[in-house]
Amino acid sequence: MIPAESQSSARLDLPYLQAGQMQKHVTLNEALTRLDALVQCAVVSRSISEQPAAPDDGALYILPDGATGAAWSAMTPGALARFEAGGWTAIAPPPGLRAFVADEQRLVVFGEDGWIEVGGSPDRLDDLQGLGVGTASDETNAFAAKLNSALWTARTEGEGGTGDLRSVLNKTDEAKTLSLLFQSGWSGRAEIGLIGDDDLVLKVSPDGVVWREAVRIDRQTGRLGFPVMDALLRPATQDVLTAFETPPGRVRAFLIDDLISALEAAGVWARLSALYVTAAHDEQAGRLNLKTPGLYDLTPMNGPAFTADLGWSGDGVDAWVDTGLSASALADGGTGLAAGVWVAANPSPGTSQFPLGPVDGDETLSMAISPTTGNFSARVGTGALAVFGAAPP
């Protein structure tokens, strides 16, 4: 029940009709005029500070600071100024009143801090169900943006930041997917991320249906894998590539595969104890036993120098690489042993032997290429030096 002493409504300040009141239509019209201003509120402007000389009947303004004019200068900044029947009326906006500002095409709301843009000026927005920029969000895409460019920049130290910028994306467990999907015409073409496990994977697709894994980086070792290329390489080659700490280029990988293929076809690969290609892309690869990586890998002794794509250099006496092999380790099923060396150029004058395996004891295996005759020779244990004839040109 409305108290008898009340003259107007509590929120919109609409005047009440009183019992026994004369000329009730005056009070009713005043209330209707006020409703006309406040319901579905729309103002001409909130930035015009000079009182208009000939506004339209019913025109409504939000008064800015420093408003001028016979009527406006007497009104409170932030109030609604309504023009009707040749005069101006000031209306105090109730908290929560929303108004559409025609000359800005913006919606504003009145609160403790005055008029602010809806969604534009709050210090923070929490627990939103959706946000759309230039488009509408939906249940699948809680955030949706339709735009031509976007910028993220770090807050500087002068602004209270650190100057760094890091975006963090998180998934709940290893089996889930966390990725960036690149589409063309709404059809997937590339995807990168943690896709079904915790390795970093890059996949590509010609049609959005068939996907091929192009690159995989192992989260444990950091090794870079190329599954599509690996599918073209024989298993022995894949074992070698996996053992490389730094993956070789595509061309070198296929050259290694060609070498192993030829050795397999000749029936040699299975009988090898060790195979070294010292003219490698880096030092670790130049030490690797390609036949069984990790077993009989070369060990540099006394600092021989390594040069990428050329190999090791040392005099074989003061500096060399040790295989760890012995004559017994090289024995072919008890029927004999074989060892070979191929070099891309003749050794320089003064070069003597190239020791392989232990250099002390009866199981020493050494090889030499004569810089004068081109003969290739070898010695096993304490046996006499065996000359095998001229080396191939």
Side-chain angles (χ1 to χ4, degrees):
M1 178 179 293
I2 300 173
E5 65 275 10
S6 296
Q7 301 295 314
S8 59
S9 63
R11 177 169 173 74
L12 299 183
D13 197 28
L14 303 177
Y16 289 142
L17 298 176
Q18 302 297 320
Q21 177 180 335
M22 302 293 293
Q23 295 184 326
K24 290 181 171 61
H25 66 282
V26 175
T27 302
L28 177 60
N29 289 341
E30 182 183 346
L32 292 176
T33 298
R34 192 175 185 87
L35 282 175
D36 186 58
L38 297 177
V39 175
Q40 296 183 342
C41 184
V43 301
V44 177
S45 177
R46 60 172 177 162
S47 59
I48 294 176
S49 60
E50 184 178 350
Q51 178 180 315
D56 293 335
D57 205 38
L60 193 65
Y61 293 82
I62 296 176
L63 292 181
D65 291 334
T68 62
W72 280 21
S73 60
M75 298 179 183
T76 303
L80 296 171
R82 176 182 171 86
F83 183 80
E84 187 168 357
W88 290 94
T89 303
I91 302 174
L97 179 67
R98 288 174 294 179
F100 178 74
V101 183
D103 65 351
E104 298 180 26
Q105 295 292 293
R106 294 182 184 275
L107 189 66
V108 296
V109 63
F110 184 77
E112 293 181 357
D113 298 325
W115 293 95
I116 62 173
E117 296 176 15
V118 174
S121 297
D123 291 336
R124 58 187 299 158
L125 297 173
D126 296 325
D127 295 324
L128 296 178
Q129 298 300 309
L131 178 62
V133 179
T135 187
S137 61
D138 53 38
E139 292 185 1
T140 301
N141 302 290
F143 173 72
K146 187 176 184 180
L147 62 171
N148 295 118
S149 63
L151 171 66
W152 295 85
T153 186
R155 178 184 292 178
T156 65
E157 294 182 3
E159 297 169 318
T162 63
D164 301 317
L165 179 62
R166 174 181 291 172
S167 296
V168 178
L169 305 177
N170 180 67
K171 63 177 183 176
T172 57
D173 58 68
E174 179 178 345
K176 299 298 191 293
T177 292
L178 186 149
S179 68
L180 296 177
L181 178 63
F182 300 88
Q183 295 185 328
S184 177
W186 303 109
S187 178
R189 291 295 179 268
E191 185 175 10
I192 185 171
L194 312 181
I195 306 171
D197 56 34
D198 284 346
D199 289 344
L200 181 61
V201 172
L202 170 63
K203 301 195 303 182
V204 294
S205 173
D207 54 12
V209 177
V210 178
W211 289 86
R212 295 181 176 87
E213 187 174 303
V215 177
R216 175 177 290 269
I217 302 177
D218 188 282
R219 65 187 182 279
Q220 301 289 351
T221 65
R223 294 188 186 278
L224 182 65
F226 301 91
V228 173
M229 183 176 75
D230 290 349
L232 304 176
L233 303 175
R234 62 199 63 253
T237 306
Q238 294 183 33
D239 291 342
V240 171
L241 298 183
T242 300
F244 286 146
E245 293 180 356
T246 301
R250 182 182 180 90
V251 172
R252 191 185 297 267
F254 279 105
L255 288 174
I256 294 172
D257 191 65
D258 289 343
L259 171 62
I260 294 176
S261 175
L263 292 172
E264 287 182 343
V268 175
W269 180 256
R271 300 173 63 184
L272 289 176
S273 296
L275 174 66
Y276 308 102
V277 178
T278 55
H281 59 287
D282 67 8
E283 182 175 327
Q284 185 267 342
R287 292 188 282 106
L288 202 67
N289 174 11
L290 304 191
K291 179 58 171 64
T292 310
L295 180 65
Y296 301 132
D297 289 347
L298 298 176
T299 301
M301 308 297 291
N302 300 326
F306 177 82
T307 303
D309 298 325
L310 291 178
W312 300 93
S313 60
D315 60 9
V317 177
D318 296 322
W320 68 93
V321 287
D322 189 356
T323 65
L325 284 163
S326 64
S328 59
L330 290 171
D332 181 14
T335 61
L337 60 86
V341 174
W342 183 89
V343 294
N346 285 332
S348 58
T351 301
S352 55
Q353 295 180 338
F354 300 91
L356 283 120
V359 295
D360 296 318
D362 291 339
E363 291 191 333
T364 297
L365 169 63
S366 60
M367 295 183 179
I369 301 175
S370 171
T372 55
T373 66
N375 286 344
F376 172 73
S377 59
R379 182 195 306 272
V380 179
T382 58
L385 186 68
V387 179
F388 296 96

